[in-house]
Amino acid sequence: MNIAKYAVTRPVAVTMQIAALVLLGVICFMRLPVDLLPKVSLPTVNVSTNWPNVAPEEIEAQLTRPIEQAMSSVPNLYQVTSTTSNGSSSVRVQFNWGTDIGQASIDVMQRVERAKRGFPSDPTLQNPTVSKFDPNQTPILTYGVSGEDDPVKMRTLLDNQVAPMVESADGVASATVSGGETRDILVNVDPVRLRAHHLALADVMRRLIQENINYPAGIAKQGETEYTIRSLGWFTSPAELRTVPLAAPNGQIVTLGDVADVRDSHQESRSFTRLNGQPAAGITITKQSDANTITTAKAVQERIDRVQQLYPNLKFSLAYDQSKYIQNSVDDVKLNALIGGALAILILLFFLRNIRSTLVVALSIPISIIATFALLYLCGYTLNTMSLSGLALATGLIVDDAVVVLENIFRHIERDKQTAHNAAISGTNEIMSAVIASTWTVMVVFLPLMLIKGQSGQMFTQFAMVVIFSLAVSLLVASTVVPMLAARFISGEAHMEALESGHDHPSLLMRAFARAGQWFNALDDSYRNGLRWALQHRWLTIGGAFGITALTLLLIPQLGTEMMPQTDSGDFSVSIKLPPGTALDKTDSVMKQVEAILLDNKNVETAFATTGSNRVGSSSFVSYTGSITVRLKENRKQATKDVMADLRKQCSTLPGVRPNIQSRDIVSTLMSGGNASVEVDIFGNDLS
């Protein structure tokens, strides 16, 4: 079928088809989720086991090694690594790329169940937890909470009221509370009084277990109504605990209050949390695996606003926000793409020197871009920096087909004196094979990107698909919309290629067109002279080209290699590690010195510190470690790496302190799960 004749003779049909494509793209654009990068799936499963207060050597021998041996028979296994520390074991199972991570998790779980048969029978030993490793489940928000002086009330309020409200927000997987003090009823038994009444500590524990219970008591009937009867025996106050009878020697009842001191208090403090040097608690939010970061962050902020209305005494300070960096990054790419498109249209305007011609060609940009949003939505992609970069790149390639077709139509109008209707058909048909060939040549260049395996393949697939689809739409526009509009809005007289009389035209635009015409004519003359010289000195031209190419090859060793460039998010963490065995109070005093150094820096906005843990929000506590999440001011003049370098020098002056200051690079976290750039593994059986 003659597609150009169809487009020219059936303008309504072509208009409706393109309008339907654009409408679909607009609807899909409104539903597209926004994220920083395409979703990256790492084929890794983690097996975590906790055994409190047990040495690493025992855990390695009785837990880690049996799990590692069980994993050796898992299909598609690539590598097994493990980390054993005081009270915990972590086994990381990596699979080959392309492995179904869901099936791999089931295989790992089955082998862990077999390995459990050889585990020691200790009631404190917890069941192993098998989880798929998902870098998208890193915390997206961290709030520091203050305003309540009583740490027990603060922790109780966050656990029972605030955290459930936040977890009810769309997209939230969990809201983890840290800091504060967990309420406990402490029973401090006096051993002297216990022996005086001929009792043992086991007797006290047994009686507390026997008394603190709720029992079902059957069903009672009254007429046509049935009642479920329960015996409520849970303790409701410390006073009830004091009256619990333990024994009755010589007929005299001995109560718990006779041998112990019962207090409503809290657990022993194994960590301290501060926000900008003041005592505070924290709440860390993790999104669901398939949830959108920006949408989830907005939903969480709405819940936080509701919490502040219900509890006006609480103050929430944002210590870490992943969504803001993502939103800013995506907005920057959008802005650059719009600027690129505007510049492309401006260049076309001064090249064609005709407003109608420019509009005909420029229409291909929004049509192709908007239609591509439908591809992103239907393929389950997101609006991220990679897909937007593909659109930005395609913006400059989209207009090529339309320009070639339009110029050939003008050539038929001016040279052959054809009507615009006939020139649109003949000019499009004449050049269509060349346009298709050139477009396919560009599209084929991006096809190999879809064949890359691993993380790079997951990253660049969307990039390649966006460019290929947008070029395909631009080819459709060049073969249908351009000839249809050219037949109705363009005439040979309106082209004004030379605009010789434009110098004296009263319109500023026409005078600018005339000046641009002079520049393009001068450029044509220069190119013609250069081409004539190159044809007369062929061997010199070829030799010069090869020489320049060879010289550029010498620069390759000077180039670095990275999967993704480092980012400046304005967030970093400071980890402190003192000699093993350092008391928690000593670690806390050192942490206060580090916090003072951070808060004295004019670029620091918030510093959220945790003493007794190597990561804010972590549930594992080590007395000689501490961590600080630092958020810099947006209007700072220094880059994040420069601020980190200054703070690293200042913290290194503290005696006995080993500061580890690392940027919270979101891109590397999503790509590699936050692994260090360089790791040194030391192998050997002799640990010392």
Side-chain angles (χ1 to χ4, degrees), residues 333-464:
V333 178
K334 286 181 181 178
L335 179 61
N336 291 331
L338 291 175
I339 293 175
L343 290 176
I345 294 175
L346 187 63
I347 295 296
L348 281 174
L349 178 62
F350 284 93
F351 177 76
L352 298 175
R353 283 155 295 188
N354 182 269
I355 296 179
R356 289 187 177 184
S357 303
T358 303
L359 290 177
V360 170
V361 175
L363 272 177
S364 61
I365 296 179
I367 291 175
S368 302
I369 295 298
I370 295 175
T372 307
F373 293 139
L375 169 78
L376 293 174
Y377 180 77
L378 296 176
C379 292
Y381 297 156
T382 60
L383 207 60
N384 52 69
T385 53
M386 294 301 294
S387 57
L388 288 173
S389 298
L391 288 175
L393 174 63
T395 301
L397 304 174
I398 286 170
V399 297
D400 294 349
D401 296 341
V403 170
V404 171
V405 172
L406 187 64
E407 280 295 306
N408 200 51
I409 291 174
F410 272 118
R411 190 172 64 87
H412 279 263
I413 293 176
E414 295 174 343
R415 187 192 65 179
D416 301 335
K417 306 301 180 182
Q418 294 183 2
T419 62
H421 183 278
N422 294 331
I425 298 175
S426 59
T428 304
N429 289 334
E430 183 181 47
I431 204 70
M432 187 49 60
S433 59
V435 171
I436 293 175
S438 63
T439 305
W440 271 101
T441 301
V442 178
M443 293 167 64
V444 166
V445 171
F446 293 93
L447 281 177
L449 293 178
M450 302 175 62
L451 304 178
I452 302 176
K453 295 182 178 180
Q455 292 172 298
S456 300
Q458 295 177 349
M459 291 288 293
F460 287 101
T461 296
Q462 293 190 25
F463 180 86

Side-chain angles (χ1 to χ4, degrees), residues 199-219:
L199 294 173
L201 184 61
D203 299 327
V204 177
M205 296 174 60
R206 183 178 64 256
R207 289 294 299 141
L208 289 177
I209 295 174
Q210 291 173 347
E211 292 291 335
N212 191 38
I213 56 174
N214 278 1
Y215 264 148
I219 297 175

Side-chain angles (χ1 to χ4, degrees), residues 210-290:
Q210 291 173 347
E211 292 291 335
N212 191 38
I213 56 174
N214 278 1
Y215 264 148
I219 297 175
K221 295 182 180 181
Q222 183 178 9
E224 298 179 353
T225 306
E226 288 188 355
Y227 298 94
T228 301
I229 307 301
R230 294 170 58 218
S231 173
L232 303 180
W234 282 344
F235 296 127
T236 59
S237 67
E240 290 187 14
L241 275 169
R242 297 189 187 99
T243 60
V244 172
L246 300 179
N250 303 322
Q252 184 179 1
I253 298 177
V254 179
T255 63
L256 182 63
D258 296 331
V259 298
D261 179 25
V262 181
R263 293 186 294 114
D264 189 347
S265 183
H266 56 80
Q267 296 179 0
E268 180 185 1
S269 298
R270 297 305 302 161
S271 68
F272 300 101
T273 305
R274 286 182 294 273
L275 177 64
N276 292 338
Q278 300 299 321
I283 182 167
T284 302
I285 290 91
T286 304
K287 72 181 183 69
Q288 297 172 2
S289 179
D290 56 347

Side-chain angles (χ1 to χ4, degrees), residues 44-50 63-64 66-68 70-71 74 80-84 88-95 104-105 107-113 115-116 119 126-133:
T44 304
V45 177
N46 192 65
V47 182
S48 301
T49 311
N50 291 328
L63 300 183
T64 305
I67 294 177
E68 286 182 327
M71 295 302 110
V74 176
V80 177
T81 57
S82 65
T83 301
T84 305
S88 66
S89 166
S90 177
V91 179
R92 187 173 180 176
V93 186
Q94 293 178 266
F95 295 88
S105 301
D107 295 337
V108 170
M109 193 177 301
Q110 291 175 346
R111 283 155 179 81
V112 168
E113 290 296 325
K116 283 173 56 179
F119 284 5
Q126 301 177 11
N127 286 324
T129 302
V130 179
S131 58
K132 293 183 290 186
F133 188 80

